Amino acid sequence: MFFSKKSNQRLPKLLILCILVSGLVIAPSVVEDNLHWFNKPVLEVSANAQTQAGVQEAQPKQSNQDKNSEEEKSSKSEGEKPGKLDIFKMITGALAGLVLFLYGVTRMAEGLEAIAGDRAKELISKFTTNRYAGVATGAVATTILDSSSVTIIIVIAMVSAELLSSVQSLGVVLGSNIGTTIGAQIVAFKINEYAPIAMFAGFLLIFLGKTERWKQIGLIVLGIGLLFFGLDTIEKAMEPFEEYQPFIKWMETLGDNTLLGAGVGALFTILVQSSSATVAIIVTLASQGLISLPAGIALMLGAEVGTCADTLVATIGRDRPAIRTGVFHLIFNLVCAAVGVVFAAQLATLAKWLSTMLGAGDDIARQIANAQIIFNILGVVLVIGFLPLIARGLEKLIPDKQKGDRQAEALAK
C-alpha cells in the first residue's frame, strides 16, 4: 500500500493511540498487583508450648516455607485453569502489540519510501532486462522497501506507464515473494530485547537530525524499534496460552487441517494488510512454543494468499497490462499455496532439515521462517521458465482493449 506524505500530520494522534492502548495493558497488571498486595495472606505460626526451645524456633520457619510453596503451587494451578485466564488483559495486550507493530511497519515503510522509493523505481526499470534479472530486482526492491505489496504496486504503476513489459513485471512479482521472507528470518533471531535501544536512537535522530535525510533515517530506526517492541508485547500477552488446553487444541487442529489454517492466515493477512506482519507474529508465537511447525506452515501459506488483496485493489481503474500483473500475482500465490497445502508434510520435513543444517536444531520459529524461504524459492524456480507462455496466456485471458472501446471511454470522460 502507498503511504501518503501527509501521514506525518497524523503522527501525534497515532502516538496518543499507542500510549492509550499501552496504558490499557499496564493498568490491569498494576491493579492486579495492588490487589494481590492487599489480599496477601497472613502466615500463621503455631507453636506448641510444650516443645523444646530449639524445635520451637525451627518449626515456624519450616511451616512458613511449606505454606509459601503450597500457595505458589496453588496459584499456578489456578492460573492454568481455563476459567482463570485474564482475557481482558490478554486481549488488550495483544491489541497493543499489534498496534505498535503495524505502526512501526508504517513508520519504517514511510522512511524507506522517502529515502529509497525513487531509487527502487530506478532499480526496477534499469535491471529488469530479462525475467531472471526481474526476479533478482524484485527480491532486492522488496528487501529495501520491506513490503512485497509496495513493490508490486510500484510495478503495476510502471506497467500502466509502459515502463515495463508484461514478462518483466511478472519476474519482479516472483522476486518480491522471495524478498518478503527476509523479515521473517530477522524476527526468528529474537532480537526483541534491543527494541528500546532502536526506539530511543530513532527518537533522537528525528528530533535532533539537522537534515531531512537524517530525520527519515530516524523514522526508519524508530519504526524498527516499534516493530520489535510490538512483537515482544504480543509475546508477553500470549504467555498464559502456553498451557491453556483449548488454545493448544485449536493450534493442533490448524496443524492437522492445513486448509483451515491457510484460511485463517489469509483472513488475518487481509485484516492487517501485510503478509510480513502475519508471518512475523506467527514466528514470534512459535518461538514461545504456542504454534507448532505444521500450524505455522498452514498459517504462512494463507498469508501468501491474503497479501494479494492489496495488489488487486491497486489494479482497479488501471489498464489491461497492469490488471494482468495483479491477476498473475493472485493466481501464482493461489496455485503455490494449494500445492503447499497438499505437500505441507514434505515442506515441514525440508524446513527441519535446513534448520538442522544451519545449526538451528529444534527452533520452531527458525523452521517456520525457513519453510517460507523454501516455499517461495521453489515456487519461483518452477514457474520462471514458463513466464513467456504465462504472459501470452494472460494476454488471451485479459486482452487489450480495442480502439473502438478506447474511443468510447475517451468520449465518456
Side-chain angles (χ1 to χ4, degrees):
M1 53 184 148
F2 287 117
F3 300 102
S4 174
K5 295 181 179 179
K6 296 181 180 180
S7 60
N8 288 330
Q9 298 176 359
R10 302 196 299 269
L11 179 61
K13 295 181 180 179
L14 291 174
L15 283 175
I16 292 173
L17 176 61
C18 291
I19 293 172
L20 289 175
V21 177
S22 300
L24 290 174
V25 180
I26 297 172
S29 61
V30 173
V31 173
E32 183 180 356
D33 291 340
N34 291 334
L35 290 175
H36 178 71
W37 184 82
F38 283 114
N39 295 328
K40 187 176 181 180
V42 179
L43 296 177
E44 297 179 359
V45 180
S46 61
N48 190 351
Q50 298 178 356
T51 56
Q52 297 179 356
V55 177
Q56 185 176 1
E57 292 177 0
Q59 184 175 356
K61 295 181 180 179
Q62 185 66 30
S63 61
N64 289 344
Q65 293 176 358
D66 294 340
K67 288 183 179 180
N68 285 334
S69 62
E70 289 177 1
E71 288 173 2
E72 291 177 359
K73 291 179 181 179
S74 61
S75 63
K76 289 181 180 179
S77 61
E78 288 178 359
E80 292 171 358
K81 293 179 182 179
K84 295 297 183 179
L85 286 179
D86 192 343
I87 301 299
F88 176 78
K89 182 178 177 180
M90 292 173 60
I91 291 176
T92 53
L95 287 176
L98 184 61
V99 169
L100 290 173
F101 176 84
L102 295 177
Y103 181 73
V105 170
T106 303
R107 297 294 97 182
M108 183 177 63
E110 287 182 355
L112 287 170
E113 190 175 1
I115 292 178
D118 294 335
R119 293 183 181 179
K121 293 179 182 179
E122 294 176 2
L123 179 72
I124 293 172
S125 61
K126 286 182 179 180
F127 296 98
T128 53
T129 53
N130 56 63
R131 49 189 156 170
Y132 301 100
V135 170
T137 303
V140 173
T142 303
T143 302
I144 294 173
L145 297 174
D146 194 41
S147 174
S148 59
S149 297
V150 172
T151 301
I152 296 173
I153 290 172
I154 291 175
V155 169
I156 289 173
M158 295 178 70
V159 171
S160 296
E162 298 182 353
L163 298 176
L164 287 179
S165 66
S166 296
V167 177
Q168 289 174 331
S169 68
L170 301 187
V172 177
V173 170
L174 293 179
S176 68
N177 279 22
I178 296 176
T180 194
T181 62
I182 303 301
Q185 288 291 330
I186 295 174
V187 173
F189 279 101
K190 303 175 184 178
I191 59 176
N192 297 1
E193 59 185 14
Y194 301 105
I197 299 175
M199 292 167 61
F200 183 70
F203 178 82
L204 291 179
L205 288 173
I206 290 174
F207 286 92
L208 300 180
K210 294 182 180 180
T211 63
E212 186 64 25
R213 182 177 181 81
W214 279 110
K215 291 181 182 293
Q216 296 296 340
I217 293 174
L219 193 63
I220 296 171
V221 176
L222 176 64
I224 293 173
L226 287 172
L227 184 155
F228 285 102
F229 188 76
L231 289 176
D232 191 54
T233 303
I234 294 174
E235 181 178 349
K236 291 179 180 178
M238 300 294 284
E239 282 180 356
F241 275 137
E242 290 181 359
E243 299 182 6
Y244 186 60
Q245 290 303 318
F247 182 82
I248 295 174
K249 291 180 180 179
W250 187 54
M251 286 295 107
E252 291 176 353
T253 301
L254 296 183
D256 296 335
N257 191 338
T258 309
L259 185 60
L260 177 62
V264 173
L267 179 60
F268 186 80
T269 302
I270 293 172
L271 291 176
V272 300
Q273 297 184 353
S274 174
S275 62
S276 299
T278 302
V279 177
I281 292 172
I282 293 169
V283 170
T284 300
L285 296 180
S287 65
Q288 201 176 1
L290 295 176
I291 292 182
S292 63
L293 178 59
I297 289 176
L299 293 169
M300 178 271 294
L301 293 174
E304 297 289 340
V305 177
T307 192
C308 300
D310 286 343
T311 54
L312 288 177
V313 171
T315 60
I316 296 176
R318 300 281 186 176
D319 294 334
R320 295 298 176 88
I323 296 175
R324 288 196 287 266
T325 301
V327 170
F328 168 74
H329 185 221
L330 174 63
I331 294 175
F332 171 74
N333 282 18
L334 275 175
V335 173
C336 288
V339 175
V341 169
V342 175
F343 296 99
Q346 289 76 10
L347 181 59
T349 302
L350 282 175
K352 289 180 180 179
W353 174 81
L354 180 60
S355 300
T356 303
M357 294 293 294
L358 296 176
D362 296 329
D363 190 343
I364 303 298
R366 293 284 300 278
Q367 290 175 3
I368 293 174
N370 292 334
Q372 187 187 24
I373 285 184
I374 295 172
F375 171 76
N376 284 297
I377 290 179
L378 285 178
V380 171
V381 170
L382 293 174
V383 172
I384 191 171
F386 302 97
L387 281 187
L389 292 175
I390 293 173
R392 288 196 289 270
L394 288 172
E395 289 176 358
K396 293 181 180 180
L397 179 65
I398 308 174
D400 292 328
K401 295 180 179 179
Q402 301 297 326
K403 292 183 179 180
D405 295 336
R406 294 178 181 175
Q407 292 176 355
E409 288 184 358
L411 292 174
K413 292 179 179 180

